[in-house]
Amino acid sequence: MNWKKGAAGLLFALASMGAAQADVGRNSYDRGDIKSGLDYWRPLANKGNVAAQLRLGQMYEDGNGVEKNLDLALSWYKKAADQGSAEAQFNVGTMYDQGEGVAADKSQAILWYKKAAAQGYLNAQYNLGVVYDTGEGVTQDKPQAFAWYSKAAAQGDADAQFNVGTMYDQGDGTDKNKSKAVMWYRKAAEQGKVEAQYNLGIMYRDGEGIAKDGVAAFSWFKKAADQGDASAQFNIGAMYADGDGIKQDDAQAIAWFLKAAAQNDVEAEYNLGVMFRDGEGVAKNGPRAVYWFERAAEHRYADAAYNLAMMYRDGDGITADAAKATEWFRKAKRLGYNGDTEEQQQDPSGEQTIPI
């Protein structure tokens, strides 16, 4: 679960100092003249200027131009927070949450998050969702988590939108509603949230909450796959392999399975073993099939170990080896293979479809 961390966001806020002083301090800082910037900000902060207090807090928190000092960072943030600054209240909350400059204290973190969230501060709303969702330091409360995620989602936060979609999808903290899940996944997906793009692909593929649409499913999987999501890459390969919502193309299936397998996706590794063994989309190649089945078996995929046993038993694409066959039958059993591994057992993989 992602946490939101404080950001400076102070260049706009510095206008409240007065144009001349703000410009001098900001321009000095931007030129790398940290001392001159401090010379302007520190007196203003001491006089109670909220924007200057925030800037000093950020500088001490990051060690930017000053020696890093989380105690001083918290002190300056609190001064601004006590004057009602939502951003400072949020920053105080994160420091209590993560034990930075002060002993970790979830109850204090929640108190400060709520102050900021009551002013509509998006990141505080999101973090409250995380606190209640995970139940870290507080009684887990999924409806509360959903309520806070929803507030942040309504302000356009992609992470919150995805979480709201997931909770509607699973009926977690709210009534299950697949149509609303699709709506919120789409909002997050359109902002580039890869997990939302993937889940939207699943919804279109399976017809959950929206009419089944293979073309749309492929499109959303492709967006996630292009961002490097291995599960999406696997699903594109499976759609090509099965001709599900797209023209069947074994060569394309191989290409996408290779992308996913490069990220250790076990289903892709297994399917590559099947395709090299059977010559689907590629020339039959027993050693390559063995390589991919072994990769999948190393990732605890029982069927891959079983298929290796059958290849060694029957000399299917490789030299028959009864000892290795027995070894792989035993590994398949240890990995949880539930079928019969007796040598007279008919190899079922000839009728096996490549799963999505």
Side-chain angles (χ1 to χ4, degrees):
M1 193 68 65
N2 294 325
W3 289 90
K4 303 294 186 184
K5 191 71 171 72
L10 292 172
L11 294 182
F12 175 79
L14 286 171
S16 65
M17 292 181 181
Q21 289 175 313
D23 287 345
V24 171
R26 181 175 63 240
N27 291 339
S28 297
Y29 185 86
D30 290 344
R31 290 196 309 271
D33 185 357
I34 307 299
K35 183 179 183 303
S36 293
L38 277 173
D39 287 344
Y40 282 95
W41 286 324
R42 195 182 301 279
L44 288 166
N46 285 327
K47 292 177 182 178
N49 184 281
V50 172
Q53 291 168 344
L54 274 167
R55 173 61 80 183
L56 287 175
Q58 188 68 40
M59 291 175 72
Y60 279 114
E61 183 179 7
D62 296 339
N64 187 8
V66 294
E67 185 176 348
K68 184 171 182 174
N69 188 319
L70 294 178
D71 292 337
L72 282 175
L74 180 63
S75 175
W76 283 114
Y77 284 148
K78 276 188 172 179
K79 290 179 187 295
D82 287 340
Q83 294 191 70
S85 165
E87 183 175 358
Q89 291 165 348
F90 170 73
N91 288 351
V92 171
T94 63
M95 296 188 81
Y96 273 112
D97 203 348
Q98 299 172 23
E100 295 181 345
V102 67
D105 187 329
K106 288 289 185 180
S107 63
Q108 280 293 312
I110 290 171
L111 182 151
W112 286 104
Y113 285 154
K114 284 186 173 179
K115 288 178 184 288
Q119 297 190 65
Y121 200 80
L122 185 157
N123 287 351
Q125 294 170 340
Y126 180 86
N127 279 11
L128 282 169
V130 172
V131 167
Y132 285 112
D133 195 358
T134 60
E136 292 183 10
V138 66
T139 301
Q140 189 177 49
D141 188 331
K142 293 288 188 172
Q144 274 267 60
F146 177 79
W148 286 113
Y149 284 145
S150 295
K151 290 180 185 293
Q155 293 198 64
D157 184 82
D159 292 332
Q161 290 169 342
F162 171 73
N163 288 352
V164 170
T166 300
M167 295 181 89
Y168 272 124
D169 196 355
Q170 299 174 0
D172 184 20
T174 188
D175 292 337
K176 183 178 288 190
N177 189 318
K178 296 287 187 177
S179 297
K180 286 185 177 180
V182 167
M183 180 187 77
W184 285 106
Y185 284 152
R186 188 185 307 281
K187 288 179 183 290
E190 288 173 349
Q191 294 194 68
K193 179 76 174 172
V194 65
E195 296 90 345
Q197 293 169 343
Y198 175 79
N199 281 10
L200 199 52
I202 294 291
M203 304 295 270
Y204 272 111
R205 185 198 67 186
D206 297 342
E208 293 187 348
I210 198 163
K212 189 172 182 177
D213 186 333
V215 174
F218 181 88
S219 175
W220 285 111
F221 283 144
K222 181 69 161 55
K223 290 180 188 295
D226 287 343
Q227 292 197 65
D229 186 85
S231 295
Q233 292 166 347
F234 168 76
N235 276 289
I236 290 176
M239 292 180 79
Y240 273 120
D242 293 342
D244 180 15
I246 194 169
K247 184 178 179 181
Q248 200 275 343
D249 188 327
D250 283 334
Q252 281 289 332
I254 288 279
W256 283 102
F257 286 149
L258 285 170
K259 289 179 185 286
Q263 299 190 65
N264 296 319
D265 185 281
V266 67
E267 296 280 359
E269 292 167 345
Y270 174 78
N271 285 351
L272 284 167
V274 171
M275 296 181 84
F276 275 106
R277 182 196 64 193
D278 298 343
E280 296 177 2
V282 67
K284 281 189 176 185
N285 188 323
R288 292 303 291 169
V290 167
Y291 169 79
W292 287 112
F293 282 144
E294 285 183 346
R295 280 269 301 261
E298 287 170 3
H299 292 133
R300 306 194 59 79
Y301 200 87
D303 285 358
Y306 175 75
N307 282 359
L308 280 167
M310 296 300 293
M311 290 181 74
Y312 279 114
R313 190 201 72 175
D314 297 339
D316 181 9
I318 53 173
T319 302
D321 188 323
K324 284 189 175 181
T326 299
E327 176 188 349
W328 282 110
F329 277 133
R330 289 172 178 168
K331 285 184 179 180
K333 279 292 189 185
R334 287 199 299 271
L335 290 173
Y337 184 78
N338 293 321
D340 187 358
T341 57
E342 294 297 324
E343 290 199 29
Q344 68 268 26
Q345 169 72 24
Q346 176 69 32
D347 180 1
S349 59
E351 299 180 359
Q352 186 170 359
T353 60
I354 295 175
I356 293 180

